[in-house]
């Protein structure tokens, strides 16, 4: 009898969870059924964030697609300028194919170069990496696992240091509800909180194996008066919201994304280290979407941290 009660309770909980994520409104309305008025397929995406002391830029450029609008290659660059200079560049190629078991697969090959320079003393650090990813899709066509092999060359060394990492994704129907990333230095757990069709929050828990610190960051999201995002093609939210592999998520390989226009993000967090907890500065961004899919689409944020914050999708 006890086992029967446990099974019934678990079944009811599962049904409630699935309903909360996937059910249409009581009147049968489904925002994904809204007619799209254009198609966004940007050739470049840039993010610019600046304060009085530091500036950060992030970009995906030279984006190439195949006949199915799948991204097959791109260049990525991240730069920070302030009391230090930091730069990471990636040249990535993506291959879509079927394996010997007739399963759909994705593999990637990426060349990485990294440099960091302390402006005050000129001390620098640099390395090169060759990264190979094997990506497994589930029965719904969403990414379930990413296995990475990294050959890292430090300085002028010709002998690589070999590393590996892994990331897994958990879904509730068409919605990604959790993800976990692990390598030799840390484990990062992402939890995604959905309310019907809206991703209302993401929690990121990073456990550092090197120094023993644990960092927790929470992101809460609000949307603009149920205003529907009216373009198909590349979804912009994976480049705005945290915790997703942006390129694959924007193509729909990490499940469905909120069909509404983002209006606000609130971020808070803390770090536990040596039995002490330190809060990180709270962040509030109020977002405004402007432009169109024919030329340029832009999310601009009014922020309590950044003087300027723009995310630009250019045709």
């Amino acid at each position: 009898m006890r086992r029967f009660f446990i099974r019934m309770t678990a079944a009811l909980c599962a049904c409630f969870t699935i309903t909360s994520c996937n059910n249409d409104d009581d009147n049968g309305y489904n925002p994904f059924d809204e007619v799209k008025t254009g198609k966004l397929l940007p050739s470049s995406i840039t993010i610019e964030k600046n304060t009085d002391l530091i500036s950060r830029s992030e970009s995906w450029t030279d984006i190439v697609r195949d006949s199915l609008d799948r991204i097959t290659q791109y260049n990525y660059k991240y730069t920070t300028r302030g009391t230090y200079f930091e730069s990471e560049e990636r040249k990535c190629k993506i291959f879509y194919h079927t394996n010997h078991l007739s399963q759909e697969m994705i593999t990637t090959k990426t060349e990485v170069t990294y440099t960091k320079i302390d402006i005050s003393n000129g001390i620098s650090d640099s390395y090169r990496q060759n990264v190979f990813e094997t990506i497994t899709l589930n029965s719904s066509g969403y990414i379930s696992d990413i296995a990475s092999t990294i050959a890292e060359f430090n300085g002028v060394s010709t002998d690589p240091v070999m590393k590996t990492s892994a990331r897994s994704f958990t879904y509730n129907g068409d919605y990604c509800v959790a993800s976990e990333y692990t390598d030799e230095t840390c484990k990062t757990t992402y939890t995604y909180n959905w309310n019907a069709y809206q991703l209302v929050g993401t929690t990121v828990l990073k456990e550092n194996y090197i120094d023993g610190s644990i960092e927790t960051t929470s992101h809460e999201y609000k949307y603009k008066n149920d205003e529907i995002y009216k373009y198909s093609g590349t979804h912009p939210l994976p480049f705005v919201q945290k915790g997703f592999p942006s390129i694959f998520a924007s193509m729909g390989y990490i499940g469905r994304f909120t069909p509404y226009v983002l209006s606000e993000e609130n971020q808070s967090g803390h770090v536990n280290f040596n039995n002490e907890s330190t809060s990180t500065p709270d962040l509030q961004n109020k977002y405004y979407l402007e432009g169109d899919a024919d030329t340029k689409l832009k999310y601009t944020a009014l922020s309590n941290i950044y003087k300027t914050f723009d995310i630009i999708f250019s045709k």
Side-chain angles (χ1 to χ4, degrees):
M1 183 68 180
R2 181 173 179 272
R3 290 181 180 177
F4 173 78
F5 176 77
I6 292 173
R7 287 197 298 269
M8 287 297 296
T9 302
L12 287 171
C13 289
C15 290
F16 174 79
T17 302
I18 294 171
T19 301
S20 66
C21 282
N22 295 327
N23 232 19
D24 293 348
D25 295 341
D26 290 339
N27 60 5
Y29 172 68
N30 184 340
F32 289 107
D33 292 336
E34 290 280 338
V35 176
K36 301 298 183 182
T37 60
K39 194 171 188 178
L40 176 68
L41 293 174
S43 62
S44 68
I45 301 159
T46 59
I47 301 176
E48 297 285 346
K49 297 187 288 188
N50 300 287
T51 70
D52 289 329
L53 300 177
I54 198 167
S55 64
R56 291 190 173 98
S57 65
E58 193 173 7
S59 65
W60 296 258
T61 60
D62 300 318
I63 298 172
V64 177
R65 294 177 175 83
D66 63 13
S67 59
L68 299 177
D69 291 335
R70 300 176 302 189
I71 295 174
T72 58
Q73 68 181 59
Y74 65 92
N75 295 333
Y76 170 86
K77 186 173 183 179
Y78 171 83
T79 302
T80 298
R81 290 181 172 87
T83 57
Y84 63 93
F85 171 82
E86 184 177 31
S87 176
E88 177 181 298
E89 297 185 45
R90 293 175 173 257
K91 295 182 178 180
C92 181
K93 292 186 176 181
I94 305 174
F95 307 92
Y96 305 87
H97 56 97
T98 303
N99 68 9
H100 67 286
L101 298 175
S102 298
Q103 297 170 323
E104 295 296 320
M105 301 285 294
I106 303 174
T107 55
T108 73
K109 177 182 179 181
T110 306
E111 298 176 357
V112 182
T113 57
Y114 173 86
T115 301
K116 184 175 182 179
I117 303 173
D118 189 319
I119 303 300
S120 63
N121 55 30
I123 295 176
S124 64
D125 179 32
S126 65
Y127 59 76
R128 295 175 294 111
Q129 291 180 338
N130 291 327
V131 180
F132 303 90
E133 293 177 319
T134 301
I135 299 172
T136 305
L137 307 181
N138 64 18
S139 58
S140 298
Y142 302 143
I143 293 176
S144 59
D145 297 281
I146 302 176
S148 302
T149 301
I150 305 119
E152 182 173 304
F153 301 84
N154 293 295
V156 296
S157 173
T158 58
D159 295 323
V161 175
M162 301 303 297
K163 302 178 179 181
T164 60
S165 68
R167 186 164 182 179
S168 61
F169 299 85
T170 302
Y171 298 89
N172 182 352
D174 291 326
Y175 301 91
C176 185
V177 295
S179 177
E180 183 176 279
Y181 170 87
T182 56
D183 63 20
E184 73 279 2
T185 66
C186 69
K187 179 173 77 170
T188 306
T189 304
Y190 304 85
T191 304
Y192 310 105
N193 181 24
W194 291 86
N195 180 12
Y197 305 101
Q198 296 184 353
L199 176 63
V200 295
T202 299
T203 301
V204 184
L205 175 65
K206 182 176 181 179
E207 303 171 63
N208 191 309
Y209 298 150
I210 306 300
D211 61 12
S213 64
I214 299 177
E215 181 177 355
T216 304
T217 308
S218 297
H219 306 266
E220 296 180 356
Y221 301 109
K222 297 179 182 179
Y223 299 87
K224 186 179 178 181
N225 298 324
D226 292 339
E227 179 182 340
I228 297 294
Y229 176 72
K230 56 186 178 182
Y231 305 118
S232 62
T234 302
H235 205 302
L237 286 184
F239 297 92
V240 185
Q241 297 175 321
K242 305 300 185 296
F244 298 97
S246 303
I247 288 292
F248 289 115
S250 70
M251 291 189 288
Y253 283 106
I254 312 293
R256 280 187 157 177
F257 264 77
T258 303
Y260 299 103
V261 174
L262 184 67
S263 65
E264 186 175 330
E265 172 189 9
N266 291 282
Q267 175 184 321
S268 61
H270 61 272
V271 179
N272 292 325
F273 180 66
N274 286 340
N275 296 320
E276 294 185 2
S277 181
T278 304
S279 297
T280 57
D282 290 346
L283 171 69
Q284 183 183 66
N285 296 323
K286 292 185 178 295
Y287 292 100
Y288 300 88
L289 182 65
E290 58 185 2
D292 57 58
D294 294 328
T295 55
K296 182 171 65 177
L297 195 70
K298 180 170 72 170
Y299 263 113
T300 295
L302 295 180
S303 176
N304 68 322
I305 298 292
Y306 299 105
K307 294 180 63 176
T308 59
F309 187 172
D310 295 317
I311 305 170
I312 303 170
F313 304 82
S314 300
K315 186 174 179 180

